[in-house]
């Protein structure tokens, strides 16, 4: 079956058409500047990548252009809309209502809407994409795959904050976690690579991208993760602060005369390695900067790696042990320096890294030595494929 995977934001929409039998990408692309002017980037497998300006006042036009490109006589990859068997939508927040992916129905969408408060920037945008698709493909079954669902197995002690309990009762303020599709995909693949049983393995997945989170997966279930009610908590990220002393907000509000909007903007967009270095949120720039003697770039790298190592240590304690550590996403898959620095802190676990193997980029590879007590791997994530698999399983 061909599955159209859609990841819809407020002004952009990424898509991939995946043949689920061969698990290959038939075409992929991106609609940008929706509601502003509009630009479509499209690439059929093995074909040329094209970018063209197209008026996209709403997501409906954007999805129409995607369908037109996919079914185009020359550059298309399917004959007609009928050859698209299902659509898988990435949905960010399923609150406590969704512990797994779900077929999209009116009732299901109502339940997702009830979670909008928890992700006001993401969920409404995701739902606009669903609406537009339903309009243009009314007879095609659709599935919603949530970033939060995998973490619904966390025990209460991992998700309740040290706040008055009434806020959990009234507003469901708790840890939810994100990147669940990636953590699930990578932890499963780690077990496969090791030839181990997924139901009998303790894995820590380090999803280190621009947004970054860590997940403790015990016997196939997420038992803790570093992002919280929102994706701001946990690791230091590209531009997000991660964990800080909450009282810093009051301190800065007074000193800098900042209101809550300005503070949140600072924490989400001006902090992290970008804020610390003053140079870039991209680890390639930070490495180049540090090599050239930029001290703050080096500090940013040091803080990032130290925080990752501290989380790995705490999740090892949470699971009373760890069998495997998997690195994934842009930094985890490509940055051998970060992997090496993180693992240097973990010698007490009996971890030994093979420096030669650790040079690998963007491929599945075991970077620990055969003697290492804990296996350390690079496992490229593939959230689109994971969404396609979930979609096929449900339709
Ligand atoms: P997201 O999906 O959260 O936007 P990605 O997983 O695509 O993030 O990761 C993007 C980040 O990965 C970049 O900001 C950069 O820091 C890092 N990255 C990508 N390629 C490399 C590389 N070759 N070496 C080091 N870091 C890289």
């Amino acid at each position: 079956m061909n599955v159209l995977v859609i990841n819809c934001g407020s002004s952009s929409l990424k898509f991939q058409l995946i043949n689920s039998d061969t698990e290959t990408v038939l075409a992929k692309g991106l609609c940008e500047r929706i509601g502003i002017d509009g630009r479509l980037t499209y690439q059929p497998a093995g074909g040329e990548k094209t970018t063209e300006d197209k008026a996209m006042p709403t997501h409906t036009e954007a999805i129409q252009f995607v369908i037109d490109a996919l079914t185009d006589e020359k550059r298309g990859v399917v004959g007609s809309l009928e050859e698209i068997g299902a659509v898988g939508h990435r949905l960010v927040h399923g609150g406590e209502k969704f512990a797994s992916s779900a077929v999209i129905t009116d009732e299901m969408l109502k339940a997702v809407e009830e979670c909008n408060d928890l992700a006001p920037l993401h969920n409404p945008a995701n739902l606009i994409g669903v609406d537009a698709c339903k309009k243009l493909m009314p007879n095609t079954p659709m599935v919603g795959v949530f970033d939060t669902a995998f973490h619904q197995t966390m025990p209460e002690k991992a998700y309740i904050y040290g706040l008055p309990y009434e806020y959990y009762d009234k507003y469901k303020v708790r840890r939810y976690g994100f990147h669940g599709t990636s953590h699930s995909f990578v932890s499963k693949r780690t077990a496969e690579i090791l030839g181990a049983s997924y139901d009998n393995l303790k894995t820590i997945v380090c999803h280190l991208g621009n947004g970054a989170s860590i997940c403790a997966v015990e016997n196939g279930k997420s038992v803790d993760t570093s992002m919280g009610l929102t994706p701001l908590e946990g690791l230091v990220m590209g531009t997000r602060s991660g964990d800080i002393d909450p009282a810093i907000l009051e301190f800065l509000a007074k000193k800098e005369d900042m209101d809550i909007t300005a503070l949140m903007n600072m924490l989400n967009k001006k902090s992290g390695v970008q804020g610390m270095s003053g140079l870039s949120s991209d680890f390639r720039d930070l490495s180049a900067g540090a090599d050239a003697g930029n001290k703050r770039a080096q500090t940013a790298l040091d803080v990032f790696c130290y925080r990752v190592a501290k989380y790995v240590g705490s999740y090892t304690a949470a699971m009373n042990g760890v069998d495997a550590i998997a690195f994934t996403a842009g930094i985890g898959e490509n940055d051998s320096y970060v992997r090496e620095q993180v693992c240097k802190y973990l010698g007490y676990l009996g971890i030994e890294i093979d420096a030669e193997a650790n040079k690998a980029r963007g491929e599945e590879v075991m970077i620990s030595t055969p003697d290492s007590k804990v296996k350390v791997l690079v496992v490229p994530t593939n959230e689109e494929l994971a969404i396609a698999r979930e979609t096929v399983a449900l339709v």
Side-chain angles (χ1 to χ4, degrees):
M1 182 195 292
N2 296 325
V3 182
L4 179 60
V5 175
I6 300 233
N7 181 354
C8 187
S10 59
S11 70
S12 72
L13 181 156
K14 286 190 217 158
F15 64 93
Q16 282 194 7
L17 186 67
I18 296 180
N19 177 322
S20 66
D21 304 317
T22 56
E23 298 207 327
T24 49
V25 177
L26 302 177
K28 63 181 177 180
L30 170 70
C31 299
E32 290 168 287
R33 301 178 60 83
I34 302 169
I36 306 166
D37 37 27
R39 185 190 304 142
L40 170 73
T41 303
Y42 173 78
Q43 183 171 30
E48 197 193 335
K49 185 170 171 177
T50 51
T51 300
E52 48 198 314
D53 292 334
K54 293 201 165 255
M56 297 174 187
T58 72
H59 289 72
T60 308
E61 289 83 15
I63 288 176
Q64 184 63 56
F65 289 135
V66 172
I67 295 171
D68 291 348
L70 292 170
T71 55
D72 187 73
E73 246 176 59
K74 280 195 198 127
R75 59 181 183 158
V77 290
V78 289
S80 73
L81 209 52
E82 276 68 57
E83 289 177 41
I84 299 175
V87 182
H89 290 272
R90 176 186 179 216
L91 302 179
V92 168
H93 220 307
E96 287 186 331
K97 293 177 196 287
F98 295 95
S100 58
S101 306
V103 174
I104 292 180
T105 61
D106 289 345
E107 204 183 357
M108 177 272 191
L109 288 176
K110 230 175 124 237
V112 178
E113 262 171 41
E114 285 165 15
C115 304
N116 281 4
D117 257 6
L118 295 168
L121 293 181
H122 294 102
N123 266 25
N126 297 159
L127 291 175
I128 289 172
V130 173
D131 268 353
C133 265
K134 280 177 62 187
K135 247 189 245 163
L136 298 169
M137 312 168 80
N139 301 318
T140 311
M142 301 193 191
V143 168
V145 180
F146 298 91
D147 267 21
T148 50
F150 181 59
H151 302 299
Q152 280 296 303
T153 48
M154 279 190 291
E156 193 182 34
K157 65 186 174 190
Y159 71 71
I160 292 289
Y161 285 119
L163 293 170
Y165 200 83
E166 65 188 270
Y167 300 132
Y168 172 61
D169 272 344
K170 279 204 272 192
Y171 312 118
K172 296 285 172 224
V173 172
R174 51 159 282 178
R175 172 183 314 287
Y176 291 95
F178 298 86
H179 292 140
T181 311
S182 176
H183 288 301
S184 161
F185 179 89
V186 170
S187 56
K188 268 191 204 123
R189 185 68 199 132
T190 300
E192 278 170 22
I193 296 169
L194 295 177
S197 158
Y198 191 45
D199 299 331
N200 187 22
L201 194 70
K202 294 172 179 175
T203 306
I204 296 174
V205 179
C206 306
H207 178 111
L208 310 180
N210 203 20
S213 72
I214 301 208
C215 182
V217 185
E218 187 171 5
N219 305 337
K221 294 192 166 74
S222 168
V223 293
D224 207 344
T225 191
S226 58
M227 283 178 170
L229 174 78
T230 76
L232 184 55
E233 194 183 347
L235 300 175
V236 167
M237 306 179 213
T239 63
R240 291 180 217 149
S241 65
D243 303 335
I244 59 164
D245 177 349
I248 291 173
L249 296 182
E250 186 201 15
F251 183 88
L252 286 181
K254 288 182 179 157
K255 291 278 183 203
E256 296 269 321
D257 193 22
M258 288 160 94
D259 63 10
I260 193 68
T261 308
L263 287 166
M264 293 313 293
N265 190 47
M266 181 270 293
L267 292 177
N268 275 302
K269 304 214 167 116
K270 297 181 182 166
S271 299
V273 293
Q274 163 78 60
M276 286 185 288
S277 68
L279 180 68
S280 172
S281 62
D282 192 302
F283 277 58
R284 288 162 287 198
D285 301 334
L286 295 175
S287 288
D291 288 346
N294 182 327
K295 201 173 160 305
R296 273 170 53 190
Q298 186 60 53
T299 302
L301 289 170
D302 291 346
V303 171
F304 181 87
C305 296
Y306 180 62
R307 180 79 59 94
V308 173
K310 283 210 296 187
Y311 262 99
V312 172
S314 67
Y315 287 170
T316 303
M319 295 192 289
N320 195 8
V322 58
D323 300 309
I325 297 171
F327 286 95
T328 196
I331 300 156
E333 290 168 28
N334 291 298
D335 197 319
S336 46
Y337 173 80
V338 167
R339 294 192 300 249
E340 180 195 314
Q341 293 306 307
V342 170
C343 290
K344 266 192 188 164
Y345 289 103
L346 306 172
Y348 72 99
L349 291 175
I351 287 180
E352 283 177 43
I353 295 301
D354 176 339
E356 199 50 40
N358 188 37
K359 286 182 184 157
R361 287 217 158 145
E363 54 178 307
E364 268 180 11
V365 59
M366 180 96 71
I367 60 169
S368 52
T369 64
D371 290 340
S372 181
K373 287 211 185 87
V374 177
K375 303 295 168 210
V376 185
L377 305 90
V378 176
V379 180
T381 191
N382 191 338
E383 287 166 280
E384 290 78 12
L385 177 59
I387 291 173
R389 284 180 183 165
E390 290 277 306
T391 303
V392 172
L394 284 178
V395 304

